[in-house]
């Protein structure tokens, strides 16, 4: 270009409305989950099968590397790259070339209610506020997404979700903890009974919670022998990460059948450190021997068969991952779980075992 364009003429040749339908790049836009509209917690309207999102930016019980309080904002920001996917891909039947599964993207209504109240130096008051506000959301929203800080936050978000569902007439509420650890500790010298390693135990102690309604998926760290034996003997479900790696996510099917037949709704909690640290560096606990991102995607595909009423993601600490990859993983996982629909088994070789499967012709 040898001369400047006539910018005044260019400016006058368009209207603001001409740009309204164009997507924004992944680093732009209002940082709500997937760029969805905001909503007030006391005036939720997302239809009969929508999702309401809220964050809990709290990490005061971290005992290794703090920073998970920054996770909710990082996941929201990372999710913006997917905000235009639904308009550009939603009309087509899609093929997942990793698994051979076909599906369509569908956009249920999603709204972001912002962050719940936290008090960084007062864990008990934080949990009171989070449980009360989660209960209010659970009373009115069809399904919930919680973007949690450290994993202690799952105790109050689950407690509030469960109470809200019981208010609405639910009978039994199941809980699945996808984590490299059991988080079944009882006491921390640093934090007392409420900390990131006790959330599952505190949930198990909620009145009328039953061991057979709770599951641990992906565990792979060392643990006390007597604790493991006690969990098994008490009736808790355990699917270790090594079993997922060996047998695939099909190892979850007995669990899914049991919880699906017993529970009216299920809450699924994800500690991002279930992934090997080589895949997800942005977390407070450095995990060695965790599962892969592909394994985790497959786990969530199996969980579609359950009446999932709430999901959370915890322990994303972006300061340890300058690439932003860990937050991207969390955002992509939520995107696929919320928006995939009409999922069908593989029908093409080499994914299908069917003798009738034919390879696609070479183009």
């Amino acid at each position: 270009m040898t001369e400047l364009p006539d910018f005044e003429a260019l400016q006058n040749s368009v209207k603001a409305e001409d740009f309204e339908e164009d997507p924004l790049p992944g680093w732009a836009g209002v940082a709500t989950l997937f760029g969805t509209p905001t909503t007030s917690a006391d005036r939720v309207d997302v239809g009969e099968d929508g999702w309401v999102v809220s964050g809990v930016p709290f990490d005061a019980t971290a005992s290794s590397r703090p920073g998970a309080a920054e996770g909710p904002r990082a996941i929201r920001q990372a999710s913006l790259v997917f905000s235009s996917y639904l308009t550009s891909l939603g009309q087509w039947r899609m093929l997942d070339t990793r698994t051979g599964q076909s599906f369509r993207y569908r956009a249920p209504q999603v709204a972001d209610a912002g962050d719940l109240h936290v008090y960084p130096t007062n864990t008990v008051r934080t949990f009171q506020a989070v449980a009360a506000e989660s209960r209010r959301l659970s009373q009115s929203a069809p399904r919930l997404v919680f973007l949690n800080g450290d994993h202690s936050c799952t105790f109050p978000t689950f407690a509030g979700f469960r109470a809200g569902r019981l208010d609405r007439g639910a009978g039994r509420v199941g809980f699945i903890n996808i984590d490299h650890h059991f988080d079944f500790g009882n006491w921390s010298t640093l934090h007392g009974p409420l900390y990131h390693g006790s959330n599952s135990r505190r949930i198990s102690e909620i009145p009328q919670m039953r061991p057979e309604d709770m599951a641990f998926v992906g565990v792979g760290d060392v643990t006390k022998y007597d604790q493991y034996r006690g969990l098994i003997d008490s009736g808790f479900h355990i699917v270790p990460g090594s079993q997922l790696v060996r047998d695939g996510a099909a190892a979850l099917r007995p669990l899914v059948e049991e919880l699906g037949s017993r529970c009216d709704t299920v809450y699924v909690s994800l500690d991002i450190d279930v992934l090997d640290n080589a895949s997800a560096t942005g977390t407070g606990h450095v995990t060695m021997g965790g599962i892969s991102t592909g394994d985790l995607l497959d786990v969530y595909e199996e969980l579609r068969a359950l009446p999932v009423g709430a999901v959370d993601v915890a322990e994303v600490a972006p300061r340890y991952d300058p690439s932003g990859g860990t937050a991207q993983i969390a955002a992509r996982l939520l995107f696929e779980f919320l928006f995939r629909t009409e999922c069908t088994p593989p029908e093409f070789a080499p994914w299908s075992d069917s003798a009738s499967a034919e390879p696609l012709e070479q183009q």
Side-chain angles (χ1 to χ4, degrees), residues 70-131:
E70 303 156 8
R73 182 181 297 272
I75 295 171
R76 286 182 171 111
Q77 185 65 47
S79 76
L80 295 181
V81 73
F82 305 113
S83 60
S84 65
Y85 273 34
L86 296 176
T87 53
S88 61
L89 299 177
Q91 61 184 315
W92 303 103
R93 188 179 182 191
M94 308 299 294
L95 178 71
D96 187 331
T97 57
R98 189 179 64 84
T99 64
Q101 184 185 64
S102 62
F103 65 95
R104 293 181 189 274
Y105 284 122
R106 179 180 63 90
Q109 287 183 264
V110 180
D112 197 319
D115 291 338
L116 307 184
H117 284 89
V118 299
Y119 301 86
T121 60
N122 191 333
T123 300
V124 172
R125 183 164 177 78
T126 293
F127 284 16
Q128 286 180 300
V130 169

Side-chain angles (χ1 to χ4, degrees), residues 194-215:
L194 299 174
Y195 70 107
H196 66 93
S198 70
N199 43 285
S200 293
R201 180 183 285 268
R202 300 287 87 90
I203 286 170
S204 76
E205 295 167 345
I206 294 174
Q208 283 76 58
M209 278 299 295
R210 302 170 176 88
E212 59 268 27
D213 295 342
M214 295 182 62

Side-chain angles (χ1 to χ4, degrees), residues 104-267:
R104 293 181 189 274
Y105 284 122
R106 179 180 63 90
Q109 287 183 264
V110 180
D112 197 319
D115 291 338
L116 307 184
H117 284 89
V118 299
Y119 301 86
T121 60
N122 191 333
T123 300
V124 172
R125 183 164 177 78
T126 293
F127 284 16
Q128 286 180 300
V130 169
E133 292 175 325
S134 297
R135 182 175 189 169
R136 180 174 60 179
L137 287 171
S138 181
Q139 289 169 338
S140 57
R143 293 176 291 182
L144 295 170
V145 176
F146 294 106
L147 307 176
N148 284 349
D150 73 44
H151 213 177
S152 71
C153 302
T154 293
F155 172 42
T157 54
F158 173 81
F161 167 77
R162 180 178 182 271
R165 284 305 192 258
L166 295 181
D167 293 339
R168 294 171 57 172
R172 295 172 74 164
V173 180
F175 176 74
I176 297 177
N177 190 54
I178 305 174
D179 195 336
H180 196 59
H181 314 91
F182 285 100
D183 289 354
F184 211 76
N186 189 43
W187 184 270
S188 163
T189 303
L190 291 174
H191 303 293
L194 299 174
Y195 70 107
H196 66 93
S198 70
N199 43 285
S200 293
R201 180 183 285 268
R202 300 287 87 90
I203 286 170
S204 76
E205 295 167 345
I206 294 174
Q208 283 76 58
M209 278 299 295
R210 302 170 176 88
E212 59 268 27
D213 295 342
M214 295 182 62
F216 301 92
V217 173
V219 287
D221 204 357
V222 297
T223 192
K224 293 179 180 177
Y225 180 93
D226 290 344
Q227 176 178 275
Y228 189 92
R229 181 78 266 171
L231 291 170
I232 291 290
D233 292 344
S234 298
F236 293 91
H237 304 276
I238 302 175
V239 183
S242 59
Q243 187 178 2
L244 294 172
V245 173
R246 186 189 67 215
D247 301 333
L252 291 171
R253 289 174 188 169
L255 165 66
V256 168
E257 290 176 5
E258 282 200 47
L259 288 188
S261 65
R262 182 182 298 121
C263 297
D264 298 300
T265 187
V266 176
Y267 182 115

Side-chain angles (χ1 to χ4, degrees), residues 289-309:
I291 65 175
S292 72
T293 54
D295 293 330
L296 187 57
L297 282 169
D298 291 342
V299 164
Y300 276 80
E301 285 304 307
E302 290 294 330
L303 297 183
R304 289 184 186 280
L306 287 170
V308 175

